[in-house]
Amino acid sequence: MSKNFTSRNIKSDLTKVITSPTYLCLYNELHYDVVLSFLNKIDSSEFLRDKPTIIDLSSVEYVSAAAVTALFTKIATKQLTVRPNCFKVMLPENKEIKKLLRNTGFIKAINPGGKSKLEKLWSSTNFLCGDESNTSDYVQKIKDHSGREQLPAKLATAIRETLLNIAHHAYKKYQQKPPVHWWSYFQLGEDECGEFLTTVIVDTGQSIPSSISPIVHGAIFKRTPIVDDSGYILYAMQESVTSTKIFGRGKGSTDMKKPVEKESSLGTERLFIVSRFGRYHYSNNDCGKIEESNSVMASPFMGTLIEWKLYF
């Protein structure tokens, strides 16, 4: 048994326990706010000097790619910035979920450890993190793992633009950038439509609404009817919108949508974004019909999460 997993009776020896909901899912609005509440408890955790906080995943029956990436981000960030052994994690009792977390490298990714542990993840797991200098390595890693010379069309460009945006904008207001700029998980899967790749990237910087709102409320944009965070994200995803206010910039959002924009697909492909109180969906069904939607939620996501699901 791994040293940071233990039975239920450990709860009696420690003061602080953060219990996961049964469904760790950020796609379904029925589960969204409960999952965000759980993640934000990890984010705001206060630690005892001599005792780790328990994260209890024992009752988890379902975990989505977006949610597991956010969970990895929260746990590993605290291990890096507070102390390597600040958490003990109780694994799901569901055998299939536990097997999934083991096979993808999640258990290794949230084991106690700091910078050295995170560097080793590049050779053995689907959970990675880094900064702008790791961009080419990250794209190549996904290619190598999938056993393909090419990723789904336009995805490599979308990834590069996303990591570039993080480098230039996410931590712009911070006096000092964190040691890790972005966190990621990628998953190969197959369903009735064919083989697909899910890629998730998270940053913990200022959100998209925080970055975009100053230009929306500037003199040029006084007539823009934006009232909530979902509206800011929707606005940011339009061509040529940029927080720099420089003409010709703002192409990153267009590049982020291009992998989804196909005349036809094996199945529904999507771009999914969560940032502060806003959510955004951009999808394309197998007939080439584009659908775009946004919604505002009760609980905030601290930073930004971006996910693509694309078929090969």
Side-chain angles (χ1 to χ4, degrees), residues 139-150:
V139 172
Q140 189 60 49
K141 171 73 174 180
I142 301 175
K143 289 180 181 179
D144 292 344
H145 187 83
S146 62
R148 295 172 182 266
E149 293 185 3
Q150 299 296 328

